[in-house]
């Protein structure tokens, strides 16, 4: 597909969109601390104090109205944001799906004052609201905004599908931009869990959104077996769910340069699933990963 062998430098990434105009709640007085980026075959980010999005928008005329917020993994102490962020986001944009790579605050980094449930999840919920608030600008259907998480990011995506509030459409249409963001619904319209962590925490609601799951047979037990158990939980809750477990895959497969095999087709299966769920508009391209 001609993807670069090295992670792109910051100057080659899309312009960032910060989730908050000033300090994020819980990060007061810390926004000036620069994040750290380790370059190489993967872009590894730490010290996130000002959460943000990198938008990957489809070419004009190819938009499907669907959007996905992508949360990379890294054990809540780092963000491995190339194979679990920017590379899949570019692929989805080629499909006509607006994709947004999220840099969220890290709860388990050394000396971190953040928590998973308040700050990291709060960043993802804020991202959902922000994308909805700017849906018209980005040619997105605000009722087709979902989340995709890898590993630790998958935990956040799962939690977003279980802990959400509805919008007040009348209030959301009024007031200043900040108010419009805050008053959008935080409920994702769908959830994609890619080898997500801490599956024992997942207790879906009857109104949890449709869910797509991909994992590897060779992953650790809480994922390789845990995802089968999670599927049954979602099934029993009445949540439409699709599960793919790849026999020759372990943890962290993401979407990688130079890799082949069935597991690298999970992105195609996700696009197939999105079409089945009527999340994509008409005229979408069918671009496959070889």
């Amino acid at each position: 597909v001609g993807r670069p062998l090295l992670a792109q430098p910051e100057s080659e990434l899309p312009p960032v969109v910060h989730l908050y105009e000033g300090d994020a709640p819980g990060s007061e007085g810390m926004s000036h601390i620069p994040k750290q980026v380790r370059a190489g075959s993967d872009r590894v980010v730490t010290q996130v104090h000002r959460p943000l999005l990198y938008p990957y928008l489809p070419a004009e005329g190819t938009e499907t109205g669907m959007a996905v917020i992508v949360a990379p993994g890294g054990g809540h102490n780092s963000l491995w944001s190339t194979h679990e962020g920017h590379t899949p986001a570019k692929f989805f944009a080629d499909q006509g799906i607006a994709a947004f790579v999220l840099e969220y605050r890290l709860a388990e980094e050394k000396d971190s004052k953040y928590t998973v449930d308040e700050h990291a999840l709060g960043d993802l919920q804020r991202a959902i609201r922000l994308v909805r608030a700017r849906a018209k600008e980005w040619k997105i259907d605000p009722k087709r905004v979902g989340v995709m998480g890898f590993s630790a990011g998958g935990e956040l995506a799962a939690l977003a599908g279980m802990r959400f509030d509805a919008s007040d459409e009348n209030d959301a249409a009024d007031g200043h931009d900040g108010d419009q963001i805050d008053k959008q619904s935080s409920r994702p319209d769908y959830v994609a869990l890619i080898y997500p962590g801490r599956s024992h925490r997942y207790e879906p609601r009857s109104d949890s959104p449709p869910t797509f799951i991909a994992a590897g047979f060779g992953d650790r037990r809480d994922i390789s077996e845990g995802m089968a158990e999670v599927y049954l939980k979602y099934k029993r809750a009445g949540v439409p769910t699709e599960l793919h477990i790849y026999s020759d895959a372990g943890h962290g497969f993401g979407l990688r340069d130079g890799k082949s095999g069935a597991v690298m087709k999970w992105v195609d299966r996700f696009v197939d699933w999105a079409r089945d769920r009527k999340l994509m508009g008409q005229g979408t391209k069918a671009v496959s990963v070889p």
Side-chain angles (χ1 to χ4, degrees), residues 264-284:
M264 288 293 103
K265 297 286 189 176
W266 72 264
V267 287
D268 295 307
R269 302 293 74 77
F270 171 75
V271 171
D272 291 342
W273 176 82
R275 289 197 181 101
D276 286 347
R277 299 300 310 170
K278 305 296 189 291
L279 291 166
M280 302 175 72
Q282 299 298 316
T284 59

Side-chain angles (χ1 to χ4, degrees), residues 95-149:
Q95 311 300 307
I97 302 168
F100 301 83
V101 178
L102 174 66
E103 288 186 358
Y104 56 89
R105 287 170 289 177
L106 298 166
E108 298 182 19
E109 196 171 15
K110 184 180 179 182
D111 299 324
S112 175
K113 58 183 273 187
Y114 305 125
T115 67
V116 171
D117 290 34
E118 181 180 359
H119 302 99
L121 176 58
D123 291 344
L124 180 54
Q125 291 169 328
R126 173 72 176 187
I128 295 168
R129 292 186 170 105
L130 187 152
V131 169
R132 284 206 170 103
R134 298 181 63 173
K136 184 175 181 180
E137 170 190 350
W138 286 328
K139 298 183 180 179
I140 292 165
D141 182 344
K143 296 182 179 179
R144 287 189 273 165
V145 176
V147 295
M148 171 181 289

Side-chain angles (χ1 to χ4, degrees), residues 30-254:
M30 301 177 70
S31 293
H32 68 284
I33 301 174
K35 68 185 179 186
Q36 301 298 308
V37 180
R38 189 179 81 211
S41 60
D42 215 305
R43 187 174 187 271
V44 182
V45 181
T46 56
Q47 289 292 313
V48 177
H49 299 289
R50 196 171 184 200
L52 55 81
L53 293 171
Y54 289 93
Y56 287 83
L57 302 179
E60 186 174 357
T62 69
E63 306 93 341
T64 66
M66 181 179 171
V68 60
I69 299 163
V70 182
H76 295 296
N77 58 55
S78 58
L79 300 173
W80 290 70
S81 63
T82 300
H83 74 289
E84 295 179 353
H86 296 280
T87 301
K90 286 182 282 187
F91 175 86
F92 295 133
D94 284 344
Q95 311 300 307
I97 302 168
F100 301 83
V101 178
L102 174 66
E103 288 186 358
Y104 56 89
R105 287 170 289 177
L106 298 166
E108 298 182 19
E109 196 171 15
K110 184 180 179 182
D111 299 324
S112 175
K113 58 183 273 187
Y114 305 125
T115 67
V116 171
D117 290 34
E118 181 180 359
H119 302 99
L121 176 58
D123 291 344
L124 180 54
Q125 291 169 328
R126 173 72 176 187
I128 295 168
R129 292 186 170 105
L130 187 152
V131 169
R132 284 206 170 103
R134 298 181 63 173
K136 184 175 181 180
E137 170 190 350
W138 286 328
K139 298 183 180 179
I140 292 165
D141 182 344
K143 296 182 179 179
R144 287 189 273 165
V145 176
V147 295
M148 171 181 289
F150 298 78
S151 194
E155 178 186 3
L156 299 182
L159 293 174
M162 297 181 284
R163 304 179 188 177
F164 50 80
D165 56 44
S167 66
D168 184 326
E169 294 184 358
N170 293 324
D171 285 347
D174 299 328
H176 302 293
D177 289 343
D179 292 334
Q180 287 182 312
I181 294 171
D182 291 340
K183 291 174 181 175
Q184 300 291 329
S185 170
S186 65
R187 180 186 184 273
D189 293 305
Y190 65 89
V191 170
L193 306 178
I194 316 302
Y195 45 87
R198 296 174 179 167
S199 59
H200 64 278
R201 303 189 70 198
Y202 305 175
E203 296 295 338
R205 300 160 41 161
S206 60
D207 59 346
S208 288
T211 299
F212 175 94
I213 304 172
F217 177 87
D219 208 335
R220 62 181 191 255
R221 186 173 179 177
D222 68 305
I223 297 177
S224 59
E225 296 183 18
M227 287 304 98
E229 295 167 357
V230 164
Y231 170 83
L232 293 176
K233 283 186 179 182
Y234 281 63
K235 169 70 173 175
R236 290 163 186 153
V239 178
T241 303
E242 182 163 311
L243 171 64
H244 298 264
I245 298 180
Y246 292 90
S247 62
D248 290 329
H251 194 71
F253 49 80

